[in-house]
Amino acid sequence: MTKKFQSIKGFYDVTPDRQRLWRFFEKEALKVLDQYSFEEIGLPIVEPTGLFVEGVGTHTDIVEKEMYSWEDKLNDDKLTLRPEGTAGCVRAVIENSLTYNGPIKLFYRGPMFRHENVQKGRQRQFHQLGVETFGVESPDADAEQIILLSRLFKNLGLSNIKLELNTIGDSEDRSQFRKALIKYFEGYKSELDKDSLRRLYENPLRILDSKNPTMQTLLDKAPKLVNYLSDEARTHFDLLCQNLDLNKIDYVLNPRLVRGLDYYNRTVFEFVTQELGSQGTLAGGGRYDYLIENLGGNHTYACGFAIGIERIVLLLEGDVSHKGIFRPDVYIVNVGSKARKLVFNIAEELRDLNVNTLLNIEGSSIKSQMKKADKSGAKIALIIGDNEVEKNEVQIKFLRRDSPQVTINYNKTSLYIKENL
């Protein structure tokens, strides 16, 4: 008996019904990115392991336990399937001198890979749309990206999404804050969970991001980073908030928001929803002004974010208003040998007029084809049989509105349909 194969745990197929929603998201995202003059860059899926160790951070969950890494036996290169996109984008900016002529705004899309527990909204292969701005020190760059995201969610028809905002200051601010956190948590070691104990001396800021319900009171009483900010970092954040207020962008200040990657400084933000359970972060990002320099480039101001495409699609699936996207405009029902000789010509004429046309090529009965036409979501059923061919006619039935079925001349079919969609 032939062995039956299944996909690997955490790697999945995107079936046609979900792919329609995926395409809808990409269509709207590309339109918005064009409106804001971001340019697309293509990036490799495989990068040097050291890029993520140096870029993402040695003591992050990604580097410690989530990366798919191996050594290439041909040349002993240490390689990794990319777990996130920013480090690779920064590498490309440095390697191709993309900021030589000044600031640049980029975006990329594609699969990322992390070895983690599989659950709703969290897979081992997942897809992101990443957006990055290089070379702009002003908080206007941060504001533009947040405003862009707000517009995108509005265009997608998504609601019940909350923007959480924070500043984590600069390295010196965090150094002082880190000492205060360690001192505070050392007094409550018995109340820290295993992950928090592991992070205490390596990355204590990540403890603040813990979702462990038994630790929330302890976290609420922890020192606040806002009390350790420099004047420059505080002014940067105040100007960002003023810009968002002027543009009527609602947000919630979350002093415990730190994000999970070491390269962030100053602004951090997340767009979150309650509709996906524990995996409610739809998009997140912030500023990373020192990453390019840390990876061998010249000091360059930068900020960016990533959107989890699977989570957006999960939200779109729950909205009935998106059920009909990417449906055909016209379904061609045809029966008889004479009719079948003409229907391809009709279909191509309609497509020349940018009319999405589904031609039945199965040869089933008219009754069966009409059921499929209705199920397809098409607005019009074009019906042609041998009798219609002899009379040089076609039948037009409107499937989504209360209009009588009409008979028209075959030669006028395409223009009539185009005018009546």
Side-chain angles (χ1 to χ4, degrees):
M1 182 176 179
T2 304
K3 186 175 182 179
K4 182 179 179 180
F5 292 98
Q6 292 184 322
S7 61
I8 301 168
K9 182 180 180 181
F11 296 75
Y12 62 96
D13 306 305
V14 183
T15 53
D17 54 342
R18 182 166 287 183
Q19 191 72 60
R20 293 189 193 100
L21 296 171
W22 201 297
R23 289 175 57 200
F24 170 66
F25 163 76
E26 289 196 334
K27 176 184 176 183
E28 294 299 321
L30 292 175
K31 181 171 69 176
V32 170
L33 287 163
D34 283 343
Q35 290 174 337
Y36 287 77
S37 298
F38 281 83
E39 300 179 273
E40 185 166 16
I41 184 171
L43 300 170
I45 292 176
V46 177
E47 295 275 12
T49 299
L51 175 65
F52 302 110
V53 175
E54 296 296 326
V56 175
T58 306
H59 299 304
T60 58
D61 286 350
I62 290 176
V63 171
E64 286 186 337
K65 55 185 179 181
E66 294 177 356
M67 295 201 307
Y68 284 94
S69 301
W70 72 98
E71 188 170 305
D72 188 337
K73 295 180 180 178
L74 292 177
N75 49 25
D76 298 326
D77 286 342
K78 291 180 172 57
L79 306 175
T80 294
L81 288 173
R82 62 183 183 192
E84 60 93 51
T86 297
C89 190
V90 167
R91 191 265 315 144
V93 167
I94 297 171
E95 186 171 339
N96 296 283
S97 302
L98 295 182
T99 57
Y100 181 80
N101 293 317
I104 189 169
K105 303 196 298 186
L106 302 173
F107 75 92
Y108 49 87
R109 48 189 165 147
M112 311 289 166
F113 305 86
R114 296 183 191 176
H115 193 284
E116 54 189 352
N117 293 328
V118 176
Q119 52 187 293
K120 182 178 180 180
R122 185 183 289 272
Q123 301 288 338
R124 291 174 177 173
Q125 175 178 305
F126 58 99
H127 295 74
Q128 289 185 341
L129 170 70
V131 175
E132 319 283 358
T133 300
F134 298 98
V136 180
E137 180 182 8
S138 166
D140 289 351
D142 315 37
E144 180 180 60
Q145 293 186 359
I146 291 171
I147 294 168
L148 181 157
L149 267 171
S150 298
R151 178 179 292 275
L152 175 57
F153 290 138
K154 180 181 178 181
N155 290 0
L156 291 170
L158 299 176
S159 56
N160 299 320
I161 297 174
K162 179 176 65 174
L163 167 60
E164 295 187 350
L165 189 65
N166 191 25
T167 177
I168 58 173
D170 292 316
S171 57
E172 181 58 32
D173 307 338
R174 290 197 304 280
S175 177
Q176 297 301 317
F177 179 56
R178 183 179 183 276
K179 294 176 183 177
L181 274 184
I182 291 174
K183 183 177 180 180
Y184 172 77
F185 286 126
E186 281 180 333
Y188 298 95
K189 278 190 174 182
S190 61
E191 298 182 37
L192 299 179
D193 58 23
K194 183 178 179 181
D195 278 342
S196 297
L197 285 171
R198 176 174 58 85
R199 292 168 171 159
L200 179 56
Y201 298 105
E202 297 174 349
N203 197 349
L205 270 70
R206 286 300 315 283
I207 299 177
L208 299 175
D209 201 31
S210 172
K211 303 300 188 291
N212 187 335
T214 65
M215 290 176 49
Q216 298 310 304
T217 300
L218 177 64
L219 299 179
D220 288 339
K221 295 179 180 179
K224 302 294 188 290
L225 179 54
V226 67
N227 296 322
Y228 296 83
L229 293 178
S230 66
D231 291 341
E232 293 82 0
R234 191 184 301 275
T235 298
H236 184 280
F237 190 62
D238 288 344
L239 289 172
L240 169 61
C241 292
Q242 290 172 23
N243 197 328
L244 297 180
D245 291 336
L246 288 171
N247 285 278
K248 297 180 172 57
I249 303 296
D250 294 329
Y251 58 88
V252 175
L253 297 178
N254 180 358
R256 283 167 46 185
L257 178 62
V258 295
R259 302 287 295 155
L261 308 178
D262 282 358
Y263 52 65
Y264 286 116
N265 70 295
R266 296 197 179 183
T267 307
V268 289
F269 65 87
E270 290 182 353
F271 282 82
V272 298
T273 179
Q274 298 295 319
E275 298 180 17
L276 297 178
S278 62
Q279 304 306 316
T281 301
L282 302 175
R287 184 162 281 273
Y288 52 96
D289 294 325
Y290 307 102
L291 181 57
I292 292 185
E293 189 174 5
N294 291 343
L295 292 178
N298 296 322
H299 177 65
T300 305
Y301 296 101
C303 60
F305 67 83
I307 303 175
I309 299 178
E310 281 84 354
R311 296 182 187 181
I312 298 294
V313 171
L314 283 172
L315 283 184
L316 292 173
E317 282 181 324
D319 188 342
V320 294
S321 66
H322 296 100
K323 296 297 184 183
I325 61 174
F326 296 110
R327 300 299 189 185
D329 297 313
V330 176
Y331 189 106
I332 300 181
V333 175
N334 60 98
V335 175
S337 57
K338 295 179 182 178
R340 295 190 70 78
K341 292 179 181 179
L342 295 178
V343 289
F344 275 95
N345 289 336
I346 297 176
E348 291 307 304
E349 287 178 7
L350 289 169
R351 290 165 183 151
D352 285 342
L353 295 173
N354 293 318
V355 176
N356 293 333
T357 304
L358 198 166
L359 169 61
N360 185 290
I361 56 175
E362 301 170 20
S364 51
S365 67
I366 285 186
K367 182 178 180 180
S368 173
Q369 290 186 50
M370 288 302 298
K371 287 182 179 179
K372 292 176 181 178
D374 185 55
K375 186 177 180 181
S376 74
K379 301 172 185 176
I380 290 175
L382 187 158
I383 307 164
I384 182 169
D386 288 348
N387 289 337
E388 281 75 21
V389 173
E390 292 175 3
K391 297 177 182 179
N392 200 34
E393 295 175 343
V394 297
Q395 303 289 327
I396 302 293
K397 182 176 178 61
F398 295 95
L399 300 175
R400 308 297 162 204
R401 70 185 196 217
D402 188 17
S403 299
Q405 183 168 315
V406 298
T407 302
I408 63 172
N409 183 276
Y410 169 82
N411 296 319
K412 300 178 179 179
T413 302
S414 298
L415 288 177
Y416 178 85
I417 288 176
K418 179 69 174 179
E419 293 170 356
N420 285 273
L421 277 174

